[in-house]
Amino acid sequence: MKEVRCAIYTRKSTEEGLDKEFNTLEAQREAGENYVLSQKHQGWKIIPEHYDDGGFSGGNMNRPALERLLEDINAGKVDMIVVYKIDRLTRSLTDFSKMIEILEKNNCSFVSVTQNFNTADSMGRLMLNILLSFAQFEREVSGERIRDKVAASKKKGMWMGGAVPTGYVAINKKLKIKPEEGEMIRFMFESYLKHKSITAVCKLVKDNYGIEYRREMIKRLLKNPVYLGKVKHKNELYDGQHPAIIDQETFDKVAEIRSSKDVAKRSCLYKKNEVGILRGILTCGCCHTRMTPTVSMGHGRRRYYYTSTKAKYYGYHTCHNGSVAVAILDEAIIQIITPMLKDAHILNGLIKQIAPDKTKELFKIMQHPEKVLAKMSELDKSLLVKELIENITVQCDNLEIKWTALALDILPDKYASQTKDGIMTIDVPLSRTHGVLQVTVPEALTQTSCPNKELIKALSKAFKYQKILTSGRMTIAELSLHEELDAGYLGRILRLTSLAPDIIKSVLAGTQPADFILKRLIREEIPPIWAEQRKKYNFPEI
């Protein structure tokens, strides 16, 4: 005889009575156990695992015990589900159809103890559908009845429970004013009328009452009609049975000021991918929270700033660092990482990693990291920075940059000497304009030595060839034959000797501009006048 493994499922919609010595879940299970024992002659056997959902509605499948039961069915551990009544399993035809698919797929059935049918035959499934239709009808009627009761109660001004609003206390299911909190609510409304600023209200409440509210919380309190002595149901307001804290005139004035403020002007930057290549890796050294992009409007222009989340949520008085202009800090970090990308192989490898589809597009300018970065999108720049920098902490007088393992392998000597335990501290000149922190990276920091070996070797050969030609030992044709070089290319190499002494000195020191490379020099005409050379190749004037 084949063994039939039976799982007993029990459910109760509310938690009321579950703390009793013998509750309804235990009664349902006992009835299920007795039924399984009566079918022992057919090989039925009870699974010891309990599937009990206390305090869960049958209108959906979001029930922990039911989810465990379905997982065990899919794992092939259950052959039969035993329930006290069919509505204990579900009260929804839609959910029932989903369960039937799972049961049929795993050759599993279920049976009701008090209803004489099972799903093993077509008649049982028909009766089951009829009973479920009535169960769903009963659930929907009960829901409509409860909604109608709530609506009727709110029209009479009754408080229908839930979270007790700040300023009130619930006594015998009725709201009464809590003196200390009621005074604070009046203070919030009066302060907003005076200062017309949510941030100012946050600070004043913290200073006077020692309570730190988020800006969004203050906004919700200022527009809550419960403080008018009203009860809201959907879009209608009704006179409540509880006392008012705020008079109608004050509430209306606050609402007028709130509505007059353009939402776009005081909202934060929701489209986070628009600006800020440092989002996600920036930390405020004052309040130790993440700094995220925010936007403000002034003189018809949008201005973006990195602001700590604490300042954004609880008011700018909570963080002394203030905001940092996105464009300024982004540019400062780009200046810092640019010397790390002088090596074309490193730059090429990073671009392949973050934007493989753009490698060919950027290959032509691979020798110029500044141009490569200028061509990259904000998103690609952000990905590139995160490959090199793990975190940046903005202190009031410096920046702390924590390098990634990859960056530590390619750090220039200038950076390596300032890095300890993977963190480089940069003492940057800081200035504050209208409360906004301005950052300027020291010029000496970004001017690191990066010798161009190919260019230095070409310069050495150029002066060697010039010495041979001026000595008269060989003609240019004989020299090109001896060196196995094209005469035209040899002539272009010789032009390097016409470079200004300060330019040659800069090349030998490795402090030349990034775009001053051999390929450019042998393809273009080199101006004979040194001042014009400095201007053309971006060298400082002497």
Side-chain angles (χ1 to χ4, degrees):
M1 183 184 297
K2 183 181 178 182
E3 183 181 78
V4 180
R5 296 163 295 177
C6 302
I8 300 174
Y9 178 78
T10 64
R11 182 185 66 81
K12 189 178 187 297
S13 297
T14 64
E15 295 182 356
E16 185 180 354
L18 292 180
D19 55 347
K20 292 181 179 179
E21 186 176 346
F22 186 74
N23 58 50
T24 182
L25 295 181
E26 292 172 341
Q28 291 177 43
R29 182 167 181 85
E30 185 176 284
E33 289 174 346
N34 292 335
Y35 186 85
V36 173
L37 289 174
S38 70
Q39 303 298 317
K40 189 175 181 180
H41 62 282
Q42 295 187 27
W44 288 27
K45 181 182 178 181
I46 300 173
I47 293 176
E49 181 74 24
H50 282 229
Y51 302 96
D52 303 318
D53 277 322
F56 290 91
S57 169
N60 58 65
M61 296 176 66
N62 298 325
R63 291 170 265 162
L66 178 62
E67 290 174 356
R68 283 192 292 109
L69 176 58
L70 294 176
E71 288 175 2
D72 289 346
I73 291 171
N74 285 324
K77 298 178 181 180
V78 179
D79 301 315
M80 180 71 72
I81 303 173
V82 180
V83 293
Y84 183 72
K85 281 188 177 181
I86 183 59
D87 64 355
R88 298 302 87 194
L89 187 62
T90 181
R91 283 177 173 265
S92 168
L93 279 171
T94 305
D95 292 343
F96 171 65
S97 64
K98 295 178 182 177
M99 291 184 195
I100 286 296
E101 288 181 10
I102 297 172
L103 296 179
E104 290 179 348
K105 181 181 177 181
N106 295 280
N107 297 320
C108 182
S109 301
F110 72 88
V111 63
S112 170
V113 172
T114 59
Q115 294 157 327
N116 188 23
F117 66 87
N118 62 56
T119 59
D121 54 47
S122 58
M123 183 58 69
R125 286 191 289 271
L126 172 62
M127 291 300 297
L128 185 61
N129 277 305
I130 294 172
L131 286 173
L132 277 172
S133 296
F134 279 103
Q136 180 166 329
F137 172 73
E138 181 186 354
R139 180 171 61 86
E140 291 174 355
V141 169
S142 298
E144 290 174 1
R145 186 173 66 249
I146 292 170
R147 285 191 292 273
D148 291 342
K149 180 184 177 183
V150 170
S153 300
K154 286 194 172 184
K155 286 180 181 179
K156 292 183 178 181
M158 298 173 65
W159 179 64
M160 295 305 295
V164 179
T166 304
Y168 290 96
V169 61
I171 301 176
N172 297 326
K173 298 184 178 180
K174 290 187 177 181
L175 294 179
K176 302 292 182 183
I177 295 177
K178 194 173 182 179
E180 311 84 26
E181 292 185 358
E183 182 186 343
M184 183 178 67
I185 293 296
R186 294 189 193 95
F187 179 79
M188 288 181 184
F189 277 84
E190 292 168 359
S191 298
Y192 187 76
L193 285 178
K194 182 178 179 180
H195 300 283
K196 300 180 177 59
S197 167
I198 296 293
T199 302
V201 175
C202 289
K203 185 177 188 305
L204 290 170
V205 170
K206 175 71 182 299
D207 293 343
N208 288 274
Y209 295 93
I211 302 175
E212 198 167 60
Y213 281 107
R214 290 178 59 163
R215 289 162 50 84
E216 292 301 321
M217 182 62 177
I218 298 289
K219 291 176 186 177
R220 286 197 295 270
L221 291 174
L222 292 179
K223 63 182 181 182
N224 193 344
V226 74
Y227 299 121
L228 273 176
K230 303 285 186 180
V231 172
K232 186 175 182 180
H233 180 62
K234 295 186 177 178
N235 294 323
E236 298 293 331
L237 290 178
Y238 302 99
D239 291 331
Q241 296 182 2
H242 62 278
I245 295 178
I246 303 299
D247 60 78
Q248 185 71 52
E249 183 183 358
T250 301
F251 190 87
D252 289 343
K253 285 182 178 178
V254 169
E256 184 180 352
I257 295 172
R258 294 288 302 147
S259 62
S260 67
K261 286 178 175 288
D262 184 4
V263 176
K265 292 181 181 179
R266 51 187 172 83
S267 65
C268 64
L269 186 67
Y270 291 109
K271 295 181 180 178
K272 297 182 176 60
N273 287 334
E274 286 185 356
V275 297
I277 65 174
L278 306 179
R279 54 188 178 272
I281 61 171
L282 209 57
T283 302
C284 175
C286 173
C287 56
H288 308 290
T289 59
R290 287 290 185 190
M291 299 181 75
T292 57
T294 56
V295 63
S296 68
M297 291 288 290
H299 305 289
R301 290 180 57 195
R302 280 179 174 266
R303 292 178 173 84
Y304 298 100
Y305 302 96
Y306 288 117
T307 305
S308 72
T309 51
K310 185 173 183 179
K312 189 160 60 173
Y313 292 142
Y314 295 100
Y316 294 94
H317 62 282
T318 60
C319 178
H320 302 298
N321 264 3
S323 301
V324 187
V326 166
I328 292 174
L329 189 55
D330 283 0
E331 179 59 30
I333 298 302
I334 289 296
Q335 288 181 36
I336 290 171
I337 68 169
T338 297
M340 301 170 64
L341 307 175
K342 295 284 188 180
D343 190 316
H345 297 293
I346 293 174
L347 184 57
N348 190 27
L350 286 170
I351 291 175
K352 280 184 177 179
Q353 189 167 340
I354 65 173
D357 56 324
K358 299 178 182 178
T359 304
K360 292 182 179 178
E361 176 187 341
L362 298 172
F363 185 76
K364 295 179 181 178
I365 52 174
M366 198 63 71
Q367 296 286 346
H368 315 288
E370 297 89 350
K371 293 184 179 181
V372 173
L373 291 170
K375 288 277 186 180
M376 294 175 74
S377 65
E378 290 289 296
L379 180 59
D380 289 341
K381 285 181 184 178
S382 179
L383 294 172
L384 176 63
V385 169
K386 288 172 184 176
E387 287 290 329
L388 301 172
I389 299 176
E390 186 175 325
N391 186 68
I392 301 172
T393 302
V394 181
Q395 303 284 3
C396 60
D397 56 354
N398 61 51
L399 294 177
E400 293 180 359
I401 299 177
K402 185 177 182 180
W403 301 111
T404 62
L406 172 63
L408 290 172
D409 291 337
I410 59 173
L411 278 184
D413 294 339
K414 181 75 173 180
Y415 294 175
S417 62
Q418 299 184 40
T419 300
K420 184 178 180 181
D421 297 329
I423 298 175
M424 182 174 77
T425 302
I426 305 173
D427 295 324
V428 295
L430 301 174
S431 60
R432 197 175 293 276
T433 306
H434 302 297
V436 178
L437 204 63
Q438 306 289 333
V439 181
T440 306
V441 178
E443 187 175 338
L445 183 67
T446 57
Q447 290 184 347
T448 56
S449 175
C450 188
N452 187 324
K453 295 179 181 179
E454 183 184 31
L455 184 54
I456 293 174
K457 187 177 180 180
L459 273 171
S460 176
K461 288 184 176 180
F463 281 99
K464 174 187 172 183
Y465 298 156
Q466 185 188 47
K467 187 175 181 180
I468 292 173
L469 292 173
T470 53
S471 66
R473 286 182 291 169
M474 292 185 185
T475 63
I476 192 166
E478 293 171 342
L479 182 60
S480 64
L481 185 63
H482 180 268
E483 295 293 329
E484 299 181 348
L485 293 173
D486 177 78
Y489 180 81
L490 180 61
R492 290 193 292 273
I493 290 290
L494 286 168
R495 289 187 306 187
L496 297 178
T497 58
S498 65
L499 289 172
D502 56 293
I503 293 178
I504 295 174
K505 185 178 180 180
S506 177
V507 171
L508 296 176
T511 58
Q512 75 284 351
D515 59 350
F516 192 73
I517 57 176
L518 180 63
K519 186 182 294 185
R520 178 184 180 186
L521 294 173
I522 61 177
R523 287 182 177 178
E524 299 176 356
E525 291 291 333
I526 298 176
I529 301 174
W530 291 348
E532 291 179 4
Q533 291 178 12
R534 299 185 188 102
K535 185 177 181 181
K536 181 177 181 178
Y537 300 126
N538 298 317
F539 282 86
E541 292 290 339
I542 295 179

